[in-house]
Amino acid sequence: MIENPRLPEYDADDAVESAVVKRLANNWGTRATVKKAEPDLDDLFDHDKHDFPEALIPFAEHRTYRDLPEPTREKLRAWGWIAFNKNVMDVEQYVVNPGFSLLAQDAFDTGLGDVLSIAVTQAMVDEQYHTLMHLNASALTRRKRGWALRSRSLPFSATVRRRQAAQSNATDSTGAALSALAFTTVAEISITSYLDLIEDNDLIQPVNRATVKLHNRDEYCHASIADEVACIVFESLNSADRRLFLDGLADGMDAFSSTDFSTWATILDLEEISGHERMLREVEADGSRKKLLQDYSGIRSMCRKLDVEDEIGIEWQ
Ligand SMILES: [Fe+2]
Ligand SMILES: [Fe+2]
């Protein structure tokens, strides 16, 4: 491992540090995607591959969708990818980075040392770069397919709306900060399973898989950093604030796994797909449909480590 000479060797005697995070902060310069050469996206584009997996389209098995002509389904799949990118970018900008920023400022008065602040600031740079990667990926899809597919026509996802609601419902700034930290923690510890859904699929556009793969590599490190820092902050909280953080985790997990058809409703409306309201109603009411669950095993093991697995008030799957 190449040590980064710019990182401080020593902090103030009482500063809180973590060996795991220090290792990750030290090798950021050699492992982070933002530090690597960009792949040539145009070369990777394959017109014959799907832009988005049908397995992730909630109505892919419904007759109304199956009966559409292939070019229309192709366009809806491209929309699926545009919406996926928008969701990733919105979560990075409005959920993840605001929480990291609080940590970087030691807003919880934990006494976080320089290395921890550097690690979360590096993670914020990564998130900004991921946003650029997904923006580039959407732009390439629009250019190669020749469709407008405007991201700004789409609403914020349920996760972002729920996070905004939690912020406005918080009774004071401490409550708002703890909720923000909880949402960031849930996002960072469970995003890799969401990204895996695209990375592991052979039928999918190589550019999209490459984008997600590069992103995912950074996220495995973020998951360790988020877990470690959340535990350190949690241990320093009083019992009322611990409760607020745990309630925030439960709220965040519920938000990330909720079924939200508002984006698809907007897309189907824009594409004037006839009968789409009925299709979405039927799919929503169909209890047999496999729910797309986030993988919360990482959050669960963090809670086990903190000895609060049974205090969080959710049914672990
Ligand atoms: Fe990211
Ligand atoms: Fe991240």
Side-chain angles (χ1 to χ4, degrees):
M1 183 195 9
I2 298 170
E3 287 283 324
N4 184 338
R6 286 162 299 177
L7 287 188
E9 274 303 308
Y10 302 102
D11 284 298
D13 291 343
D14 56 352
V16 180
E17 294 296 0
S18 144
V20 175
V21 177
K22 182 167 186 179
R23 181 178 57 78
L24 291 169
N26 271 324
N27 66 25
W28 183 71
T30 49
R31 71 168 162 79
T33 305
V34 66
K35 295 285 195 172
K36 304 230 154 82
E38 275 185 66
D40 188 335
L41 297 182
D42 277 71
D43 274 5
L44 284 172
F45 196 89
D46 182 342
H47 281 270
D48 296 330
K49 295 275 183 169
H50 289 188
D51 293 318
F52 195 65
E54 293 209 323
L56 297 187
I57 298 179
F59 45 81
E61 302 300 324
H62 195 279
R63 202 181 51 250
T64 304
Y65 176 78
R66 296 255 64 97
D67 287 348
L68 292 171
E70 175 54 20
T72 308
R73 285 194 307 216
E74 189 181 26
K75 193 166 183 191
L76 291 177
R77 288 192 298 263
W79 262 124
W81 172 239
I82 299 291
F84 179 89
N85 287 331
K86 176 177 158 52
N87 185 42
V88 168
M89 293 187 281
D90 286 348
V91 168
E92 287 173 334
Q93 297 299 320
Y94 303 114
V95 179
V96 175
N97 268 356
F100 275 148
S101 171
L102 290 168
L103 289 169
Q105 301 158 42
D106 198 17
F108 304 95
D109 235 356
T110 316
L112 298 180
D114 287 347
V115 173
L116 291 174
S117 298
I118 288 169
V120 291
T121 305
Q122 289 169 342
M124 289 170 72
V125 172
D126 292 341
E127 298 305 355
Q128 198 64 30
Y129 189 61
H130 300 157
T131 292
L132 176 63
M133 284 161 55
H134 286 269
L135 196 61
N136 279 332
S138 283
L140 181 79
T141 304
R142 287 191 268 265
R143 196 165 73 240
K144 292 286 189 183
R145 298 289 185 199
W147 292 318
L149 309 170
R150 285 191 186 85
S151 307
R152 61 179 175 277
S153 309
L154 305 179
F156 278 129
S157 67
T159 318
V160 173
R161 297 197 307 267
R162 282 278 292 278
R163 196 257 183 204
Q164 285 167 343
Q167 288 297 298
S168 23
N169 293 335
T171 46
D172 55 22
S173 58
T174 306
L178 288 165
S179 163
L181 178 64
F183 269 75
T184 293
T185 307
V186 172
E188 289 300 273
I189 298 181
S190 61
I191 192 173
T192 54
S193 58
Y194 181 59
L195 296 173
D196 282 343
L197 299 170
I198 301 238
E199 186 186 334
D200 294 343
N201 194 321
D202 227 14
L203 295 169
I204 303 307
Q205 183 57 250
V207 183
N208 304 2
R209 293 177 65 198
T211 301
V212 166
K213 188 175 181 176
L214 289 170
H215 185 174
N216 219 0
R217 232 174 26 197
D218 286 340
E219 294 302 343
Y220 280 105
C221 299
H222 290 188
S224 299
I225 294 167
D227 175 299
E228 193 79 5
V229 180
C231 288
I232 291 170
V233 171
F234 185 84
E235 302 280 12
S236 76
L237 298 174
N238 64 35
S239 63
D241 287 352
R242 286 182 177 195
R243 186 68 258 160
L244 285 175
F245 178 71
L246 295 180
D247 290 346
L249 286 183
D251 192 18
M253 283 188 276
D254 190 52
F256 274 93
S257 53
S258 68
T259 304
D260 172 37
F261 286 162
S262 57
T263 295
W264 276 115
T266 306
I267 292 168
L268 295 167
D269 216 28
L270 287 168
E271 294 301 321
E272 301 176 349
I273 305 297
S274 80
H276 76 263
E277 292 95 344
R278 186 176 166 183
M279 172 171 76
L280 290 184
R281 265 200 316 274
E282 287 176 2
V283 171
E284 210 160 3
D286 178 6
S288 70
R289 197 177 63 87
K290 208 172 78 190
K291 243 192 151 187
L292 231 187
L293 284 178
Q294 298 272 132
D295 175 5
Y296 290 138
S297 53
I299 303 283
R300 187 177 189 179
S301 62
M302 181 186 83
C303 289
R304 196 176 301 140
K305 211 160 52 178
L306 294 169
D307 204 18
V308 293
E309 194 182 1
D310 299 324
E311 282 175 44
I312 198 156
I314 70 156
E315 289 275 323
W316 298 104
Q317 306 273 339

